[in-house]
Amino acid sequence: MIRDAEVLDEGFVPNDLQHRDAELTHLESTLRPFADGAPGQSIIITGPTGAGKTVTSKYVTGQLTDAVPNIQTVHLNCWRSHTQFRAFYSILDELGLATDIHRGSTPHDELISRLEAYDGDPVVVILDEADQLDSTDIFYDLHSLPKFAQLIVANERDQLFGRLNSRLQSRLQSSEHVPMSRYTPEELVSILEVRVRWGFEEETVSPDVIERIADAAAGDARVALGMLRRAANYAIREGHDEITFDVLEAAMPDAREQIRQRNVDALNDHQRTVFDIIRAYGPLSPQDIYEHYEAKMSDPNQLRTVKSYLSKLTEYRLIEAEGSTRDRTYRAVQSQ
């Protein structure tokens, strides 16, 4: 049934990126001067989960490095590298400059000094899920280095700027901003059709099934691809030679739970604590959540940071908000 499993992965970057022409043009025109020798700059890419921010960033940098071979790209997953040290170490490691760095003893300033001293090919750093970083100082450090351009990928610009100090806000205020919206059901259908054409044997996924997946995914390409993969695995396991409506409906709860668990597993310790509090005691107001959180953590962050966690958990559909802004409460989304 499956011809090429890689095509069905959410991280796969296609040769032809659909429905992001305006965003690609904006990014390409902004990065072109850097490729031609101008100092690096910061570009902010925002949008909801599953809107194609990561694949668009990888696609445009891939096109750039194909056209200008001396440009390097570093993709930093800020879910995993969420501390300043890990972020800088990952960048240096990608550039081959971290061989003698010791994670337990090398001073943070030494990592910055190495980046400042870097005199190789220009580097585009994709800070993916940048709102997961414990500190936003890395934006300032990279912004000040002419050999580096940064693509800051996050869910919401206002939320991201709310974490910045006044110095950094003024630096990034004039940065190019590339907003991305959720895909329409029709756009998701065409994206899935291409993945099905390349990833499956012929006549194993009907157009009606593709439309049902696109409708259920609610504009989120990650969810759509997750449902498609899970339905294929279910069909193979049960001995079916195609994905029927019955197969899809049987696989959907498992697909949703898998996506949910993946998001839970990716949370850092502070976010996981907030999520566990809401799951155990919700619905709770932000202040009540913070009081529980502050009592549980030996190194609690500020209320403002915890509110950003609430936005992130809501974006990933792990919790949901109820009520107006003034009397808002949060509760865990029940597994389906």
Side-chain angles (χ1 to χ4, degrees), residues 28-78:
E28 287 167 353
S29 63
T30 305
L31 286 170
R32 176 53 63 178
F34 179 61
D36 292 338
Q41 59 178 300
S42 303
I43 304 171
I44 300 170
I45 304 172
T46 61
T49 179
K53 301 184 298 296
T54 299
V55 71
T56 300
S57 301
K58 289 182 175 181
Y59 181 89
V60 75
T61 53
Q63 294 290 306
L64 185 66
T65 53
D66 286 345
V68 187
N70 65 320
I71 295 285
Q72 296 193 66
T73 301
V74 174
H75 177 255
L76 185 65
N77 184 331
C78 298

Side-chain angles (χ1 to χ4, degrees), residues 8 192 196 200 205 213 224-232 243:
L8 306 178
L192 290 172
V196 166
F200 288 88
V205 187
I213 293 174
L225 289 169
M227 288 180 175
L228 181 60
R229 288 195 308 273
R230 207 64 184 171
I243 299 176

Side-chain angles (χ1 to χ4, degrees), residues 176-188:
E176 291 292 329
H177 178 213
V178 182
M180 300 175 67
S181 58
R182 289 196 186 278
Y183 292 108
T184 67
E186 293 76 20
E187 288 171 341
L188 270 186

Side-chain angles (χ1 to χ4, degrees), residues 254-272:
D254 192 26
R256 293 184 187 278
E257 179 57 28
Q258 186 181 50
I259 293 165
R260 175 184 174 279
Q261 190 58 51
R262 182 191 62 194
N263 289 335
V264 171
D265 291 343
L267 300 177
N268 64 40
D269 291 342
H270 292 265
Q271 293 167 329
R272 182 60 185 264

Side-chain angles (χ1 to χ4, degrees), residues 135-244:
S135 170
T136 57
D137 288 349
I138 187 174
F139 303 154
Y140 181 87
D141 294 321
L142 289 176
H143 187 81
S144 64
L145 299 176
K147 283 285 187 178
F148 292 83
Q150 58 179 335
L151 303 185
I152 302 172
V153 181
N155 291 128
E156 297 180 11
R157 187 176 185 273
D158 290 345
Q159 180 185 328
L160 181 71
F161 270 68
R163 297 182 58 202
L164 307 180
N165 58 40
S166 57
R167 177 188 65 171
L168 190 48
Q169 280 193 21
S170 65
R171 286 291 186 99
L172 295 183
Q173 196 70 45
S174 60
S175 298
E176 291 292 329
H177 178 213
V178 182
M180 300 175 67
S181 58
R182 289 196 186 278
Y183 292 108
T184 67
E186 293 76 20
E187 288 171 341
L188 270 186
V189 165
S190 65
I191 290 170
L192 290 172
E193 285 175 342
V194 172
R195 301 291 181 112
V196 166
R197 185 163 63 248
W198 289 102
F200 288 88
E201 299 293 342
E202 291 184 9
E203 299 183 358
T204 55
V205 187
S206 72
D208 289 344
V209 167
I210 292 175
E211 289 179 7
R212 174 70 180 102
I213 293 174
D215 183 62
D220 189 326
R222 289 183 179 180
V223 171
L225 289 169
M227 288 180 175
L228 181 60
R229 288 195 308 273
R230 207 64 184 171
N233 292 335
Y234 180 90
I236 293 170
R237 187 172 66 248
E238 297 298 319
H240 300 288
D241 55 7
E242 63 178 314
I243 299 176
T244 63

